[in-house]
Amino acid sequence: MFHQKSQKMMGTLVSITIFSSNPLPILEEAFELLANLEKRFSANDPDSELMQVNYAAGSHSRSVHKDLFHLIEFGKKNSLIAGSRLNIAIGPLVKEWKIGFRDAKLPEADVIRQKLKITNPKDIILSKQDKKVFLRQKGMEIDLGALAKGYIADLLLDFLKKQAVSAALINLGGNILTYGPNPKRQDGNWQIGIQDPSSKLKKEVLLLGIRNKAIVTSGIYERYFSHQNAVYHHILDPMTGYPIKTDMTSLTIIAPSALEAELLSSRWFGQAPSELYRHIKSNKDLAFICITKNKKITASPSILPYLYHTKERG
């Protein structure tokens, strides 16, 4: 039996579609799991487990759940890679800009300089043995927004597999993970549209057929604000503290797991297509699509097996 449930949570619309002989109780339990995971990883919920770590910055370490510890450890490692656009210690700057919220603002340059001093991921001190996290400087904040949805989607899929679900589509606000064959299509693929960043009507420019893969898009076209004729988007450059300067409007990554897809869409956002080609040329499990402000679409050759013509949609 095919069934879908949608609910607003995690700051977005979450939708889970499964194929199972008894889908309703599985979906109910899946959304309970999501609520618990949101309570663990959120940087916007003052009562979350992550925020307890942030509140203790510069004072003492906090013991955390193994899942939270693992994601912080993973995030720190990838934040320290040379040239990475990811920095999980960027929380103080995210909170200062508040892009995506009604009170978004352009911070003073001096404030940005001061906040940058407390965004070094090396100052995240981890004790693997007892799963403790210590933020060395007062005012530091970890923000896992560039990783958490992917990690949560993978955990959710692990749960669904244990419930003997034969097929699933997990959509966490556009962060999509597919599993098994789509029983509604003869080719078994899940059809995913790639949005035109310049279209306010959410028009699609490409249609992909995905199975047992994740697809995640990072973009600057949904969360932004204007100030004195300048537009500021939400993807911050960890080196400058300001929104990344780039002609890229969206970067879509296809990868075996949702965490990997989300990680790479964050780490590589704003890089030139030549750099993207270099990153994936030896990995056939990865594919990318980038769209620029002048509507130029560049994709890796590995995207070809996934492409549909729009007229084939059904």
Side-chain angles (χ1 to χ4, degrees), residues 4-16 31 34 149 156 170-174:
Q4 180 186 76
K5 180 178 179 179
S6 299
Q7 184 176 320
K8 284 190 175 181
M9 58 193 311
M10 300 171 61
T12 188
L13 180 64
V14 170
S15 178
I16 304 173
F31 273 88
L34 279 174
K149 287 179 184 176
L156 183 58
I170 299 167
N171 186 344
L172 305 186

Side-chain angles (χ1 to χ4, degrees), residues 10 71 74 86 144-154 172 175-176 214-218 251 253-255 257-269:
M10 300 171 61
L71 189 55
F74 179 86
L86 174 73
L144 297 172
L147 298 173
K149 287 179 184 176
Y151 190 62
I152 288 171
D154 289 336
L172 305 186
N175 292 35
I176 296 170
I215 179 167
V216 172
T217 298
S218 289
L251 175 63
I253 300 290
I254 298 175
S257 73
L259 177 58
E260 184 176 15
E262 187 163 28
L263 165 70
L264 297 181
S265 72
S266 298
R267 261 184 50 191
W268 297 346
F269 191 87

Side-chain angles (χ1 to χ4, degrees), residues 156-177:
L156 183 58
L157 181 57
D158 288 341
F159 163 76
L160 294 177
K161 288 179 178 178
K162 291 176 183 177
Q163 310 307 309
V165 168
S166 60
L169 175 71
I170 299 167
N171 186 344
L172 305 186
N175 292 35
I176 296 170
L177 180 59

Side-chain angles (χ1 to χ4, degrees), residues 27-233:
L27 285 171
E28 288 298 320
E29 193 171 348
F31 273 88
E32 289 178 10
L33 173 61
L34 279 174
N36 290 332
L37 291 172
E38 181 180 17
K39 197 72 175 176
R40 180 165 297 141
F41 295 103
S42 176
N44 296 313
D45 181 349
D47 298 321
S48 74
E49 189 173 349
L50 174 61
M51 285 306 297
Q52 304 317 301
V53 172
N54 291 339
Y55 292 146
S59 173
H60 59 276
S61 62
R62 295 285 304 220
S63 295
V64 299
H65 188 278
K66 62 180 179 61
D67 290 341
L68 179 55
F69 185 89
H70 177 257
L71 189 55
I72 292 173
E73 183 181 44
F74 179 86
K76 176 182 176 179
K77 175 183 176 181
N78 282 278
S79 296
L80 291 171
I81 293 175
S84 175
R85 301 284 192 175
L86 174 73
N87 180 2
I88 65 167
I90 206 168
L93 283 163
V94 173
K95 293 285 177 69
E96 195 65 38
W97 282 90
K98 298 182 180 179
I99 301 174
F101 297 90
R102 291 182 179 179
D103 52 349
K105 67 177 189 236
L106 172 62
E108 296 290 336
D110 285 344
V111 173
I112 291 178
R113 281 193 290 268
Q114 291 302 315
K115 296 297 183 182
L116 277 172
K117 294 178 181 179
I118 53 172
T119 61
N120 190 339
K122 290 182 179 179
D123 288 331
I124 302 172
I125 311 303
L126 303 176
S127 176
K128 198 164 187 175
Q129 184 175 0
D130 50 10
K131 302 294 185 292
K132 285 188 175 182
V133 182
F134 175 56
L135 306 184
R136 185 177 292 168
Q137 297 196 59
K138 186 177 181 181
M140 285 185 69
E141 285 199 32
I142 293 174
D143 189 317
L144 297 172
L147 298 173
K149 287 179 184 176
Y151 190 62
I152 288 171
D154 289 336
L155 291 176
L156 183 58
L157 181 57
D158 288 341
F159 163 76
L160 294 177
K161 288 179 178 178
K162 291 176 183 177
Q163 310 307 309
V165 168
S166 60
L169 175 71
I170 299 167
N171 186 344
L172 305 186
N175 292 35
I176 296 170
L177 180 59
T178 64
Y179 171 66
N182 180 351
K184 287 193 171 184
R185 283 192 56 86
Q186 187 174 358
D187 63 11
N189 289 330
W190 301 88
Q191 292 196 325
I192 311 297
I194 303 300
Q195 185 178 333
D196 178 354
S198 64
S199 172
K200 295 182 179 180
L201 301 176
K202 296 190 176 182
K203 179 182 175 183
E204 296 169 355
V205 293
L206 291 173
L207 187 63
L208 307 179
I210 307 292
R211 190 195 309 188
N212 296 321
K213 297 278 187 177
I215 179 167
V216 172
T217 298
S218 289
I220 64 173
Y221 53 92
E222 288 188 332
R223 291 169 57 191
Y224 61 89
F225 75 101
S226 300
H227 177 75
Q228 295 182 350
N229 297 320
V231 177
Y232 299 90
H233 61 77

